[in-house]
């Protein structure tokens, strides 16, 4: 059996751990051969491959990024895309394809499997943890650890200076990183995309915090937005405002708090450091197990499925179902954190 | 309502995070007052208390250990122990008691709740992750991260010297830390208490590893044992042998591998560094949520229960049930890791 | 002998290590008593003190910030400031004063010692490493480690996406953090305040880097400036431009590179996380030794001096001399790093 | 000009950083070509080489170990060793040889340069920091950071349990790692090879520590020894005693303290994790600068020299002189730390 592998979408610590587990088990237990496709779906679309065998996966477990490269190419949006993918899979005598990626990458896999009979197995990947079919995705724990460590360091300054400290973390549509890191780091305010914030309320927390003890630390997801859009921009979109589009909500918030409370505010923007570097132990464990179970599904011929974490078990779910819905932060869960605000 | 809190058993990163969450939510949302009992069950037994209010829990979230102290005192084994505990709880006008601890500490809570009507709520704690009623306990993720980072560093030496590297990690009865850290760190052999190892097989893996590539890294849980007990000691017990009792299975294994394969072997014994220091982000999140949900149970008057993690939810289970069975590594899960051996 | 201690200026990991070493050696070896003054020079100015003895310094070695608080208050600029300071020192029967701080704090100590006979000993502190009389100041190594670790993580993204990654680090007047972290992290461009950069040259490095291998990583000190001031603002100052003042040179640079090269660029702004959290081992060692030697100077009655690092030795230099000149990056040292640019 | 490079002796984080800097500057600024010799002096002895050019050094800066491999082979002790080395250097048209290593490796370089006219430049490497001609060697700061972080974690247990915690660190002949990490970590006792310890005095510190506050943490260098040799073994040597040779001084000390004080004692043996993994920022900076300056010496034809750190400068010293004397801990420096004992 010849198995193709590709990784699509943004960086995510743990991709290499999945690839290694697939190859180690596939070759050693099932006698599979592997074909690495380069740069996500562009690989099967354009026929770019890379040798993928046991020597190729040595030493990659602790390394961030992906040895196969990645892209956001979508063959479903290209003329003749599906035909080309199928031709290249046939040309490389691929009997099964493992696609590792997020909503978009797996969405392509779901369509190819369900509508075009391509034998696909999916492995979910999103640093934002916003895929609904799995308890967690790898990369998320690493990002939360990095953000938490940064918040830990900000506490020192919060304890000795009268400065509001704003830290902007990833999360365009889901606030999981902000929520987990904010709770783990002991933030005084957590703002997430799922719930528009009231800038007056935020300033209220800032002022009450100053009264009680120290300067406040505010964790804000990059996709968080104030209730009144017009506060941010005059025409209702963030994007039309040069400096806001550039600097993001963290800087906007710091400036607004300074203006309203008279307190000095400083911003830290973690940016890409949240998605780089070595994966945490949890992410390596999860990614490795995803790889081991995905190759089992391949061996079983159980296509059109994605591996997923449920509790401590790895299960298989339908690919189409897996990508149907964004998993956002439940209002009740967000409310739970509210006891620590202010 | 006045709520007593105690922490029992060994160190575990996250204890302070539980205490902080209990107090913050109890005081702010429910108007509770708190009494901290010192040093586990010794506190209510002897009436030693410590002030526990919002100022007392400031800044403790990232700190290892427990501000309440701990002990292994068991009032059920003391003459008049139960009576004394009840008297002291009455004296301090305690309406509910939250016990944070492992099998032993929670076992006392279960008995006091079920047989003596003491209004207890339990929070599970074990660095070894061996409580059956919860997917994970806090402290475990921190220990696995520390052990994984150590293995990462050993790879450098493994790549440039012909030395067998043995690393001994915690786990007397359950091999969870060895299994998770071994997988996450890319170890070549993982030995756990649940399955006696064959020293010849281990030496076989060592030799095959040298042939293929580098020197092997062996992760061994402190409670792991060879199949032939007599290999370790002449009279059948590890303990009767001075240097073995002292140095542990890691040193024994290194010596035995040296003798049998002729390869130099070195041991790292992580010891207590696995249970100290700041908790990982995951452990802080889990411990905080345990605290929030335990105080909810107190407020609901739902005694005789323990909070537990199931998937991403915090649930309540009966205290008695929670401590009934040790959660050991499933043979199938251990077998999964076997693909990486040798 | 009664010894006063104060810490002034911005946060810097290692302040508590100095305080602990002063007190441990002063009390145990010399029988000193201590008076902690709160919030820098505001303490002796307004007579705010804090108990400072061996119990007070327990456990503070690994903690960032300062248990004495800090401020930028300058008694030389206050009416009757010197008189008030002298009165309060007399009132608290202080025989010697140890001032721990940067250029400003030590400048006050120098004036008080040289012109007003106040028995001061200085301990140098600046995270920016820009004091000329000492090889290194504590806090700097910690900041460089944090920035280097961040750059390490950015490499993962640089290897898999075609994005220019800009990381802004501390350093208003001296580029030491940028230079050390840039070299240690393997950055492709390092921009420092000491040498105005040519934006065309920077874009040239960006483009040549893309041709050879990966996306470039640019480390920019917050005080770095382009050669043509008018590029940044129309009226010649950064400050007049709202979004630039807010977001800093990192964002400006990213935007400018995007505009000129057509490549997407992303910014990470580390901000205060560089000066918070636990000090590195080197900084604890240096701070501890500074404390031990400063109290020796006090005991010797050798006032008007500052402790300083020269090679591996701690020496004493005149306070006035110590703060006379900002230590900036030597052009030759900066040129050395140029081999790694592009 | 063709430049040979080799790395000898034990692992040390920073070796790859030296190699990268040599090649980057040599190729880009001076137009050198490079020949990598494998496995220390075995490479030139047996003619084993490895391609060494700019692509070969990409990405190696943060990686521990050495891409050239290492060994303890000494051509001066082999028959015809010098002749073979010279022949292989001639065969590969090597005009200069950079040897990166410790006392032994550099000793060979010194002899070859001084007595046989081989054009050698040395770069000092020892994790133990025991080379007298340089303020610091790379690898040392990394080891001290790792050991300090371990001690930090032990403090948690020391604060909540009545257990003596012994941590054994590297240092056979010099106690630099023990001294620096012990001071940085706030250890209560530091034992180094330079000064035999009195076991009664150690037990005295243990007991006084228990009285004052917490359980003590003892840092012991692997080469530390008690005053009375007969305490350790009956025949006067550690080595004749099987379990002691195996387990080391840490375990011996723990056992002895248990016996004498009745307090439970636990040992952590860091072992090889101190010399593996990614180098600290300081070590990368130092190693990079050593590389840049060593290739300058090559270009200048200044052979028989070694680069060394003096303060913040890189200087050149005679190779022979550099390896003449072991740099041990000065008694006065050790005494400085004594204020923190007990």
């Amino acid at each position: 059996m010849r198995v193709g592998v590709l990784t699509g979408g943004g960086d995510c610590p743990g991709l290499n751990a999945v690839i290694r587990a697939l190859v180690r088990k596939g070759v050693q237990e099932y006698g599979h051969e592997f074909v690495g496709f380069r740069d996500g779906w562009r690989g099967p679309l354009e026929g770019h491959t890379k040798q993928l065998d046991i020597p190729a996966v040595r030493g990659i477990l602790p390394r961030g990024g992906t040895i196969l490269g990645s892209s956001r190419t979508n063959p479903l949006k290209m003329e003749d895309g599906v035909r080309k993918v199928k031709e290249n899979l046939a040309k490389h005598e691929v009997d099964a394809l493992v696609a590792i990626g997020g909503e978009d990458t797996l969405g392509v896999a779901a369509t190819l499997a369900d509508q075009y009979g391509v034998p696909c197995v999916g492995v979910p990947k999103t640093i934002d943890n916003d895929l609904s079919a799995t308890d967690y995705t790898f990369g998320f724990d690493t990002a939360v650890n990095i953000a938490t460590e940064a918040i830990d360091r900000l506490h020192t300054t919060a304890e000795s200076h009268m400065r509001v400290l704003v830290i902007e973390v990833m999360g365009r549509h889901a606030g999981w990183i902000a929520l987990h890191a904010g709770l783990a780091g002991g933030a005084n305010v957590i703002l997430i995309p799922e719930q528009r914030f009231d800038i007056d309320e935020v300033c209220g927390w800032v002022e009450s915090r100053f009264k009680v003890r120290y300067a406040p630390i505010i964790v804000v997801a990059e996709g968080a937005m104030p209730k009144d859009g017009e506060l941010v921009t005059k025409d209702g979109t963030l994007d039309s405002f040069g400096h806001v589009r550039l600097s993001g909500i963290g800087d906007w918030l710091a400036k607004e708090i300074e203006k309203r409370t008279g307190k000095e505010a400083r911003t830290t923007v973690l940016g890409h450091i949240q998605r780089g570097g070595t994966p945490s132990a949890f992410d390596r464990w999860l990614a490795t197990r995803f790889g081991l179970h995905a190759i089992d599904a391949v061996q079983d011929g159980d296509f059109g499925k994605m591996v997923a974490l449920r509790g401590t078990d790895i299960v298989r779910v339908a690919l189409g179902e897996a990508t149907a819905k964004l998993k956002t932060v439940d209002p009740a869960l967000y409310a739970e954190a509210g006891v620590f605000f202010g």
Side-chain angles (χ1 to χ4, degrees), chain A:
Chain A
M1 204 166 179
R2 278 174 67 82
V3 183
V5 181
L6 64 84
T7 56
D11 259 349
C12 194
L15 287 167
N16 284 326
V18 178
I19 297 169
R20 169 179 173 266
L22 287 168
V23 172
R24 288 292 295 266
K25 187 161 192 180
V27 170
Q28 294 176 206
E29 302 225 340
Y30 301 132
H32 296 163
E33 290 182 358
F34 284 84
V35 182
F37 286 101
R38 286 180 182 279
D39 299 334
W41 286 107
R42 194 189 302 149
L45 189 75
E46 303 180 0
H48 296 312
T49 63
K50 184 185 161 84
Q51 187 165 344
L52 190 57
D53 49 19
I54 285 187
V57 301
R58 285 220 169 93
I60 68 172
L61 170 64
R63 288 168 54 194
T66 161
I67 58 167
L68 295 177
S70 187
S71 76
R72 300 194 184 275
T73 299
N74 185 337
L76 302 178
K77 295 183 178 165
M78 325 292 274
E79 199 171 312
D80 265 351
V82 174
R83 189 183 52 78
K84 285 179 188 161
V85 166
K86 294 190 76 166
E87 274 178 15
N88 279 312
L89 295 178
K91 185 177 150 202
H92 290 282
E93 297 173 51
V94 167
D95 303 305
L97 184 64
V98 179
I100 312 167
E103 219 187 340
D104 296 339
T105 305
L106 297 181
V108 173
T111 302
L112 290 180
D114 297 347
Q115 297 177 24
Y116 300 97
V118 180
C120 290
V121 166
V123 176
K125 176 232 68 161
T126 144
I127 207 157
D128 292 335
N129 198 38
D130 56 4
L131 276 178
S132 55
T134 184
D135 283 359
Y136 292 104
T137 44
F138 58 86
F140 172 67
D141 184 63
T142 303
V144 171
N145 272 311
I146 292 168
T148 301
E149 200 183 306
I151 299 170
D152 278 1
R153 294 196 175 273
L154 293 181
H155 275 287
T156 304
T157 297
E159 283 168 23
S160 40
H161 293 280
M162 290 295 96
R163 279 175 187 161
V164 180
L165 298 164
V166 175
I167 176 166
E168 183 185 307
V169 300
M170 286 189 311
R172 284 192 191 282
H173 307 293
W176 293 108
I177 293 176
L179 181 63
H180 277 239
L183 265 182
N188 307 106
V189 180
I190 301 170
L191 304 176
I192 62 176
E194 287 87 344
Q195 200 159 314
R196 290 196 161 227
F197 61 84
D198 179 332
I199 184 72
D200 290 322
E201 192 180 30
V202 170
C203 291
W205 285 321
V206 165
E207 280 169 341
S208 74
R209 174 72 180 170
F210 272 115
K211 271 176 214 143
V212 177
R213 190 156 133 111
Y214 291 143
I217 294 173
I218 301 176
V219 179
V220 56
E222 58 185 331
M225 284 281 285
K227 269 186 179 148
D228 298 314
E230 61 271 30
L231 284 176
V232 182
T233 67
K234 279 174 192 138
D235 60 356
T237 75
L238 263 171
D239 287 337
S240 71
F241 224 141
H243 74 281
V244 170
R245 188 195 57 216
L246 185 68
S247 335
I249 190 68
D251 277 331
W252 180 85
L253 193 62
K255 196 183 65 176
E256 203 64 26
I257 291 170
E258 282 196 343
K259 206 168 66 187
R260 286 159 179 260
T261 68
K263 305 285 185 188
E264 209 180 336
R266 296 295 169 90
T267 314
T268 290
V269 181
L270 290 181
H272 278 302
I273 68 172
Q274 292 163 92
R275 64 189 326 144
T278 195
S280 71
F282 181 90
D283 282 339
R284 296 188 199 177
W285 158 260
L286 180 58
T288 296
R289 293 196 71 208
F290 273 171
L292 297 177
H293 283 257
I295 202 69
D296 287 350
V298 165
Q299 176 70 7
D300 293 350
D302 194 6
F303 299 114
K305 295 289 174 60
M306 180 187 91
V307 292
L309 179 71
R310 294 280 168 81
T312 59
D313 295 325
I314 309 296
V315 300
R316 297 176 194 167
V317 299
L319 257 173
E321 190 187 315
T323 58
K325 195 168 146 278
L326 194 73
K327 182 176 69 178
T328 53
V329 174
D330 191 87
L333 198 60
Y334 182 59
E336 227 183 73
V339 73
F340 299 108
F341 289 9

